[in-house]
Amino acid sequence: MANEKKLDCVILGLLSHEELTGYEIKKRIDTALKYFWGASFGSIYPTLKELVDKGLADKNESGQSRNQISYTITPKGREFLKTWLRLPAEKDELRYETLLKLFFADEAGVDSALMHIENFAQKIRNELPFLLESVRVLEHLGNEGAHPYYLVTALFGVKTYQAYLEWCEEANGILDK
Amino acid sequence: MANEKKLDCVILGLLSHEELTGYEIKKRIDTALKYFWGASFGSIYPTLKELVDKGLADKNESGQSRNQISYTITPKGREFLKTWLRLPAEKDELRYETLLKLFFADEAGVDSALMHIENFAQKIRNELPFLLESVRVLEHLGNEGAHPYYLVTALFGVKTYQAYLEWCEEANGILDK
DNA sequence: GAAGTCATGTAATTGGTTACATGATTGA
DNA sequence: TCAATCATGTAACCAATTACATGACTTC
């Protein structure tokens, strides 16, 4: 029961802010939600169809370009979203392959362990500037509308990324001796 | 291609340390790997069967108790594991429903946002002592075998959990004004 | 006119969860 | 003897990815 589909809520959430096409929804997920959620086209388009069927979103065929289809949230969709938002979160989960490979690294040797840590650190270092920039912008935008919520989630990214980098140092120190 | 099954490697990894039953594998995952991986019985038992079919593990029907079936890793299984361990990690991902509900919280109001943060903090506070105790024990055990790798992954848990708690404070401060 | 990106969608497959079914063992 | 836990396993279901198919628009 705890494993319901969340993508419909993600999409409704995005639509609650603005009218969007499937393609744009994918972009939003890959940028703003990147560090705590993911989804592919192969799940986004079918879910969009479902939302329309259930009366939670409306399809607007007449985009500025002929082949663009944009979606808006319906009042019923907004109600659905609000109900879900107020329910306690059921599942927060991590799947860190890096940690897995590290946990079992005894079998493969310390060099490969150090490589995994370095790869991980590199990925984080690449992404951190984007996140810091988001925070900078959001702090300027002040307390209107959804901005404080965006800020808080971006700060989560920053905090955890910084913790990851500190851990990489620490782990290196322990293993590389 | 990036989305191959990882559970076979998780199980082989655990078997590379010791002989285990399916039930014990589940327990290991729920304790030692808890904060970066998960799996259910419904995936563990079929995977165990697969591993035996592929010659990567052996089934030992004669446990101390009649209805216990334990598994050991074969040399081929060890080779398979080692190869995987040395390949770069492809996928590190988070699915934090809490963050999702926070990102869209404008629709539901600040009270529910603060509730989500508090629930999250509570969960972390509950789990942190166990993790700290693991670190304490592992630091005592020294540098033999897999211990440094266990230590490093446990420290990852501690570092991130502490970062989460700091973030909860910060987020509360921003939203609760 | 070619390359790249914007844009939508489907089919096959898979990895996994949930719920169920069953039964042995242990300890109060 | 009853409850809890140990222990294994299957079937139904589902969410999601990957790969594929298609075509319009933009820019050099």
Side-chain angles (χ1 to χ4, degrees):
Chain A
M1 215 108 295
N3 226 38
E4 304 135 37
K5 190 177 178 174
K6 305 284 155 48
L7 187 55
D8 46 5
C9 298
V10 174
I11 293 179
L12 286 176
L14 290 169
L15 294 180
S16 81
H17 295 160
E18 50 182 334
E19 179 170 359
L20 291 167
T21 68
Y23 196 81
E24 288 168 329
I25 286 169
K26 168 72 168 154
K27 278 198 291 186
R28 293 285 183 286
I29 292 174
D30 287 348
T31 52
L33 311 187
K34 187 182 171 42
Y35 46 100
F36 61 88
W37 211 263
S40 66
F41 283 123
S43 58
I44 291 168
Y45 286 112
T47 302
L48 237 16
K49 202 177 169 184
E50 250 178 71
L51 290 174
V52 173
D53 290 346
K54 290 184 194 159
L56 305 174
D58 281 331
K59 191 173 180 171
N60 311 109
E61 216 109 5
S62 52
Q64 51 265 58
S65 173
R66 271 142 250 75
N67 60 327
Q68 256 193 149
I69 302 168
S70 66
Y71 295 83
T72 44
I73 191 167
T74 64
K76 196 177 157 192
R78 218 171 266 279
E79 229 18 75
F80 182 90
L81 175 64
K82 208 186 290 181
T83 302
W84 175 75
L85 283 172
R86 287 179 178 161
L87 250 40
E90 307 155 323
K91 220 178 179 182
D92 286 320
E93 64 169 36
L94 241 82
R95 296 230 146 182
Y96 270 23
E97 209 182 313
T98 297
L99 271 281
L100 219 43
K101 297 206 181 201
L102 223 51
F103 189 84
F104 300 122
D106 187 36
E107 195 64 38
V110 75
D111 288 347
S112 93
L114 292 172
M115 175 201 71
H116 290 308
I117 294 170
E118 185 45 36
N119 287 164
F120 183 66
Q122 202 51 56
K123 225 183 287 179
I124 301 299
R125 272 187 235 116
N126 283 341
E127 288 177 19
L128 194 50
F130 167 78
L131 222 44
L132 287 169
E133 175 61 15
S134 305
V135 167
R136 207 188 58 79
V137 171
L138 287 164
E139 276 173 343
H140 263 258
L141 287 174
N143 292 333
E144 277 129 76
H147 294 147
Y149 301 108
Y150 294 166
L151 174 60
V152 151
T153 49
L155 283 173
F156 179 87
V158 170
K159 260 274 190 280
T160 55
Y161 276 20
Q162 282 167 348
Y164 291 166
L165 290 177
E166 282 171 35
W167 169 79
C168 288
E169 286 295 311
E170 216 177 305
N172 259 320
I174 290 169
L175 298 177
D176 190 12
K177 37 114 231 310
Chain B
M1 216 110 291
N3 225 41
E4 304 134 37
K5 191 176 179 176
K6 304 285 154 47
L7 187 55
D8 46 5
C9 298
V10 174
I11 293 179
L12 286 176
L14 290 169
L15 294 181
S16 82
H17 294 160
E18 51 183 332
E19 179 171 358
L20 291 166
T21 67
Y23 196 81
E24 288 168 329
I25 286 170
K26 168 72 170 154
K27 277 197 291 187
R28 293 285 183 287
I29 293 174
D30 288 349
T31 52
L33 310 186
K34 187 182 171 42
Y35 45 100
F36 61 86
W37 211 265
S40 65
F41 283 123
S43 58
I44 291 169
Y45 285 112
T47 302
L48 236 16
K49 203 178 169 185
E50 251 177 69
L51 291 174
V52 173
D53 289 346
K54 290 184 193 160
L56 304 174
D58 281 331
K59 191 173 180 170
N60 311 108
E61 217 110 5
S62 52
Q64 52 263 56
S65 174
R66 273 139 251 75
N67 62 327
Q68 256 192 150
I69 301 168
S70 66
Y71 295 84
T72 45
I73 191 167
T74 65
K76 196 177 157 192
R78 219 171 266 278
E79 230 17 77
F80 182 90
L81 175 64
K82 209 187 288 181
T83 303
W84 175 76
L85 283 172
R86 287 179 177 161
L87 251 40
E90 309 155 322
K91 221 177 178 182
D92 286 319
E93 61 168 40
L94 241 83
R95 296 229 146 184
Y96 271 22
E97 210 182 310
T98 298
L99 271 280
L100 218 44
K101 296 205 182 201
L102 222 52
F103 188 85
F104 299 121
D106 187 34
E107 195 66 37
V110 76
D111 287 348
S112 94
L114 292 172
M115 174 202 71
H116 291 308
I117 295 171
E118 185 45 36
N119 287 163
F120 183 66
Q122 203 51 57
K123 226 183 287 179
I124 301 298
R125 271 187 236 116
N126 283 343
E127 289 177 19
L128 196 48
F130 167 78
L131 221 42
L132 287 169
E133 175 61 14
S134 305
V135 167
R136 207 188 57 78
V137 171
L138 287 164
E139 276 173 343
H140 264 258
L141 287 173
N143 292 334
E144 278 130 77
H147 293 148
Y149 301 107
Y150 294 167
L151 174 60
V152 151
T153 49
L155 283 173
F156 179 88
V158 170
K159 260 272 189 285
T160 55
Y161 276 21
Q162 282 168 349
Y164 290 166
L165 290 178
E166 283 171 34
W167 169 78
C168 288
E169 286 295 309
E170 216 177 305
N172 259 322
I174 290 169
L175 297 178
D176 190 12
K177 34 117 236 311

